[in-house]
Amino acid sequence: MEKQQNSGFFKQPKAVWAVAFACVISFMGIGLVDPILPAIAAQLHASPSQVSLLFTSYLLVTGFAMILSGAISSRIGAKQTLISGLILIIIFAALGGFSHSIAQLVGFRGGWGLGNALFISTALAVIVSVATGGSAKAIILYEAALGLGISVGPLAGGELGTISWRAPFFGVSILMAVALLAILILLPAIPKPQKKVSIGAPIRALRYRGLLTLSLAAFLYNFGFFTLLAYSPFVLDLNERGLGYVFFGWGLLLAITSVFTAPAVERALGTVRSLILLFVLFAADLLALAIWTDYMALVISFIVIGGGILGMVNTILTTAVMGAAPVERSVASSAYSSIRFIGGAIAPWLAGVLADHYNAHAPYVAGCIAVLIGMAVLIGGRRHLANIKAGH
C-alpha cells in the first residue's frame, strides 16, 4: 500500500492514459462550440438564447442520463459502457456537423450529451480503480484531463471554425474514433460488479446530507460556471480564432490550478473552508464581469482569472464527493454529476433570456447570485461535511 501511495503521479498504466486521452476529447465537447456560437447564430439565423440551447440540451441530457449510467455500467461492464458512450459521441458529433437548422443541431447535441453521460461517469470510476497512487491522485489526473479538454476545445473550435462552423463537430467525431481505438486496445476487460446498481441508487444516495450538500452547491456553482462559458462569447467582439484563444487561456489556467494549486489550498484550509473561499472569489469574478461588461480587455482578464478559480473548485468538489457518502464511488459520482450538470443546463438558456429582456450585465449578476447561494448551502451544511478530510 505504501509503495502504491508513493508511486509517481505520471507513472500510470497505459489503460489510465487511454481513458484520460478519451476524457480530454470528451471534455473538448464542452468548450468546442464556444468560439463558433456567434457564427452559428449568424448562419442558422438564430438568436443568442436559441444558440445557448446547444449547451442546455447537451448538459440537460447529460445530467438526467447520469442517473442511469451507474445501473448500465453494472450490467454491461465499465469497458462496454465507455465504448457505448464513445460510439454515441462519434455519431451525434458527426450528425451535428451535417445540421441545417438550429433545432437539428440542438437535438444532435442532446444525443451527444447521452454519450457524454455514459462516458464521463464511468471514466472517473475506471481511472480511480485502475490508477496507481490512490484515489486523490486519480481524481487530480481526471480533473487535469477535464481542464486540458476544456482548454483545447475552444482552441480547436476557434481554429477549425475559421474553415466552417461545421468543422469542429467533424473534428471531435474523428478524434473520438481515435480515442475509441485506444480504449479497445489498451484498456483490459474490467470485471462486472458482483452487485448490480439499481436505477434509483443515485437518488437514494442523496439521503446522505454530505453528498446532498455538495451536490446542491455544485448545482449553483455550475450555474455560474456555464453562465461565464456560454454567454461570454456574445459579449466579446472577437472572431472565432480570437474567442478560441481567450477560452484556451481560461481552460489552461483551469487545468493548471486543478492539478497544482487545488491540493495545496485544500491541505492548507480544509475542504469546506477552501470551497467557501473559492465560491466567494468566483462570485466576485462574476460581479466584476457584470460591472465591466463593456470593457473587452477587462472581460478577457476576468474570464481567464475565473478559469483559475474554477479549476480549484472542480478538483476539491470532486475529491470531496468521493468521501461524502458510504456508497460506491460510481453511485456518488452519478448522483453528484447529474445534479451539477442540470444546474449547468439552466444557466446558458437563462443567460440568453436575461440578455434579451434586460441588458448584457444581467446574466453575470444572476450567476453571481447563484454562486453566493451555493456558498450559503456549504455554510449551512458544513456540519455534514466535517468527516471529509483534505486530500483523502
Side-chain angles (χ1 to χ4, degrees), residues 15-245:
V16 172
W17 294 116
V19 178
F21 172 71
C23 285
V24 171
I25 308 305
S26 177
F27 285 117
M28 280 177 62
I30 295 176
L32 179 88
V33 299
D34 236 35
I36 55 175
L37 288 177
I40 292 173
Q43 294 184 38
L44 295 183
H45 310 291
S47 66
S49 59
Q50 288 175 315
V51 173
S52 70
L53 292 175
L54 291 176
F55 280 100
T56 298
S57 65
Y58 175 80
L59 294 168
L60 196 63
V61 173
T62 297
F64 281 108
M66 281 282 187
I67 298 173
L68 307 174
S69 60
I72 294 171
S73 179
S74 69
R75 284 162 174 78
I76 67 174
K79 183 173 181 178
Q80 292 303 318
T81 306
L82 288 177
I83 291 170
S84 300
L86 288 172
I87 290 172
L88 286 172
I89 295 171
I90 291 167
I91 292 170
F92 282 106
L95 288 173
F98 287 113
S99 298
H100 295 289
S101 70
I102 192 66
Q104 285 182 345
L105 193 52
V106 168
F108 291 139
R109 277 284 282 182
W112 187 341
L114 176 59
N116 199 50
L118 293 176
F119 177 80
I120 287 178
S121 60
T122 311
L124 175 56
V126 168
I127 287 178
V128 169
S129 65
V130 178
T132 59
S135 63
K137 286 184 178 179
I139 290 167
I140 291 172
L141 180 63
Y142 174 82
E143 291 295 338
L146 183 153
L148 186 60
I150 287 179
S151 64
V152 174
L155 189 64
E159 290 298 325
L160 292 172
T162 60
I163 303 170
S164 166
W165 68 262
R166 301 177 189 274
F169 291 91
F170 295 130
V172 163
S173 186
I174 293 169
L175 286 171
M176 269 304 187
V178 175
L180 174 61
L181 190 61
I183 294 287
L184 288 169
I185 295 172
L186 298 176
L187 183 64
I190 299 173
K192 296 179 185 178
Q194 293 182 348
K195 181 183 176 183
K196 292 181 180 178
V197 176
S198 69
I199 294 175
I203 297 174
R204 288 196 297 272
L206 293 172
R207 72 179 184 270
Y208 296 103
R209 295 296 181 88
L211 182 59
L212 179 62
T213 297
L214 291 173
S215 298
L216 291 176
F219 175 95
L220 293 156
Y221 151 74
N222 258 33
F223 190 97
F225 183 113
F226 282 98
T227 296
L228 185 152
L229 183 63
Y231 174 65
S232 296
F234 293 102
V235 172
L236 296 169
D237 185 21
L238 295 171
N239 60 20
E240 292 88 348
R241 181 170 286 149
L243 288 170
Y245 279 111

